[in-house]
Amino acid sequence: MLGPILFNIFINDLFLFLTKVHLANFADDNTLSTSSKNIKEILDTLESESNQAIAWFRNNMMIVNPDKFQMIIFSTNKKITTEKIR
């Protein structure tokens, strides 16, 4: 029972390192989110902050699995396609 509490205390300072995104944390699952009217700005912000998070995890001797990183984009603009994002 003490394990999850100690883990939350340990990981709590990750919130201080990610200043350009919203961070939602549940157990060992972290979700970064942001919004903008500019898709490039969103991608740049998420990439930058993801790299910050990866560095934080590595500096704290935690294992990161980039294969599990995913991105979902919600938009009312029907012109945005995955080809335009890549």
Side-chain angles (χ1 to χ4, degrees):
M1 185 111 178
L2 189 58
I5 294 170
L6 292 176
F7 180 77
N8 282 331
I9 292 170
F10 173 74
I11 202 167
N12 195 46
D13 69 332
L14 176 60
F15 288 83
L16 301 175
F17 288 86
L18 305 177
T19 58
K20 298 176 186 173
V21 294
H22 300 285
L23 174 63
N25 176 270
F26 180 76
D28 65 346
D29 184 30
N30 301 286
T31 302
L32 306 180
S33 63
T34 189
S35 63
S36 174
K37 293 186 180 197
N38 182 322
I39 190 71
K40 179 156 177 23
E41 183 179 328
I42 291 172
L43 295 174
D44 290 345
T45 299
L46 288 174
E47 182 177 5
S48 169
E49 294 292 275
S50 292
N51 287 333
Q52 280 285 102
I54 290 168
W56 184 92
F57 283 112
R58 288 186 177 150
N59 289 337
N60 287 280
M61 294 180 256
M62 298 181 75
I63 297 172
V64 176
N65 186 352
D67 292 338
K68 292 194 174 187
F69 286 31
Q70 300 174 17
M71 182 184 309
I72 299 173
I73 297 175
F74 297 99
S75 175
T76 57
N77 184 347
K78 294 179 183 178
K79 295 178 183 179
I80 294 178
T81 64
T82 55
E83 290 81 29
K84 290 184 179 180
I85 295 170
R86 294 180 193 171

